[in-house]
Amino acid sequence: MKRRISIILTLGILFSTTAFAQNENTIKYKKAEEGYDYGAVYIIRDKATNEIIPLAIGPLDGYSYAYLPKDSDFEVKKETIELKYTDLDDWQSIYISEMVCREIFTGYEDATFRPDKELTRAEMATVFARMFNIPKTRSVSCFDDISENYWAKEYIMALVEKNVFMKDTNFEPDSSITREQLVAMAFRMLERMGMIATQEEQTDLSQYKDLDEVSDYAKTAYKSLIGEGYYLMVEVIDNDVMDKYSLQQQKIL
């Protein structure tokens, strides 16, 4: 279960360690006025719209940074939050606090967060749309198993319109999200934002002995993300907070 929660809770932070593609957007830096306070959460918002900027972080190594249009600017807001959840360990609270402040997670009405519960595809669609500030849409469902009054329909269809999900007969909203599905979602979103280039043959993945187990639709995503230097979580250490990367690790999933 730690594999599931560590993948999801660190998704927004992991991408911020990567190199960014050059297009009409740019990565902007601002010198931090203070050192990082581990008791606080730093939220970076667009100065004009006050919207939370995806993939932004700060202050890190004395600077805050955000990826946004060249003619835009951002501001850093230091926020604190007292989590209401009664079922979290201290290490979980660190990451969940940030995700709650970023308006990505909300928890449950009974004051629980349920950290060991696996995320479904519908729940991941909701998380992903919130993480990347994708507004809900009223588009008609293209899936037989997503009714017009389904709770996550507007998020799911918003991601279909952004090509993060592909149109199909069924969506399987109650199935657990898999690692390769999450990698494919991340790649499609970053590609749409102009932050990554598709790579097919340039990336050598021969060290991964289970590459043949990756579905065809996800292989391009793996090759491109690894080839562009994006950190992929490939090993889980039991009882540790974060997934660990090792040059000796021989499995991609």
Side-chain angles (χ1 to χ4, degrees):
M1 295 301 182
K2 287 184 182 295
R3 171 183 302 215
R4 297 282 182 184
I5 193 169
S6 63
I7 289 173
I8 303 305
L9 293 183
T10 59
L11 179 62
I13 300 172
L14 291 176
F15 288 142
S16 61
T17 64
T18 64
F20 293 86
Q22 298 296 316
N23 61 2
E24 68 275 8
N25 295 337
T26 185
I27 183 168
K28 290 189 174 182
Y29 298 84
K30 280 189 176 180
K31 188 169 178 59
E33 297 179 357
E34 59 180 296
Y36 191 88
D37 180 358
Y38 286 93
V41 175
Y42 293 87
I43 304 300
I44 298 181
R45 297 180 180 271
D46 186 287
K47 215 166 192 178
T49 66
N50 201 43
E51 291 184 347
I52 296 175
I53 301 174
L55 312 185
I57 193 169
L60 182 67
D61 296 330
Y63 287 87
S64 302
Y65 61 89
Y67 182 74
L68 71 174
K70 293 181 179 179
D71 57 353
S72 300
D73 202 357
F74 70 88
E75 59 184 349
V76 183
K77 294 187 176 181
K78 181 178 178 180
E79 300 183 15
T80 57
I81 185 170
E82 184 176 346
L83 291 179
K84 62 182 179 181
Y85 311 120
T86 59
D87 56 347
L88 296 179
D89 295 331
D90 288 342
W91 74 264
Q92 294 169 333
S93 298
I94 296 172
Y95 299 100
I96 293 172
S97 292
E98 178 150 347
M99 302 300 261
V100 169
C101 280
R102 288 175 180 260
E103 302 172 8
I104 296 171
F105 284 116
T106 58
Y108 294 88
E109 294 180 355
D110 62 355
T112 63
F113 187 84
R114 306 179 194 177
D116 290 332
K117 181 181 180 297
E118 293 188 359
L119 283 177
T120 65
R121 285 172 53 82
E123 290 170 335
M124 189 63 230
T126 303
V127 167
F128 217 73
R130 291 172 179 169
M131 181 179 295
F132 287 95
N133 293 343
I134 299 173
K136 295 186 288 186
T137 179
R138 295 185 179 275
S139 299
V140 175
S141 172
C142 63
F143 302 104
D144 291 346
D145 56 356
I146 300 292
S147 65
E148 289 304 307
N149 61 356
Y150 185 70
W151 70 272
K153 190 269 287 187
E154 294 180 342
Y155 286 119
I156 292 169
M157 289 308 301
L159 292 176
V160 169
E161 292 180 359
K162 302 297 184 185
N163 296 319
V164 175
F165 290 128
M166 302 295 104
K167 292 183 178 181
D168 204 339
T169 303
N170 292 311
F171 183 77
E172 300 182 1
D174 296 324
S175 297
S176 296
I177 194 78
T178 66
R179 288 167 68 91
E180 70 174 9
Q181 289 170 356
L182 183 56
V183 167
M185 290 173 64
F187 167 70
R188 291 167 185 166
M189 178 56 66
L190 294 173
E191 185 180 42
R192 175 185 169 274
M193 295 171 68
M195 296 174 62
I196 190 170
T198 300
Q199 296 191 29
E200 289 289 349
E201 304 301 330
Q202 300 94 323
T203 305
D204 180 13
L205 300 180
S206 59
Q207 71 270 32
Y208 299 115
K209 63 184 181 182
D210 60 346
L211 182 62
D212 59 341
E213 297 177 23
V214 178
S215 300
D216 289 340
Y217 76 86
K219 286 182 179 178
T220 296
Y222 273 108
K223 290 179 179 179
S224 300
L225 288 168
I226 293 174
E228 290 283 340
Y230 283 78
Y231 175 75
L232 292 180
M233 296 153 286
V234 294
E235 181 182 4
V236 176
I237 306 300
D238 192 27
N239 297 321
D240 202 346
V241 175
M242 298 284 291
D243 289 346
K244 301 293 186 182
Y245 177 80
S246 169
L247 293 178
Q248 283 71 48
Q249 178 64 19
Q250 297 299 308
K251 296 185 71 176
I252 197 169
L253 300 178

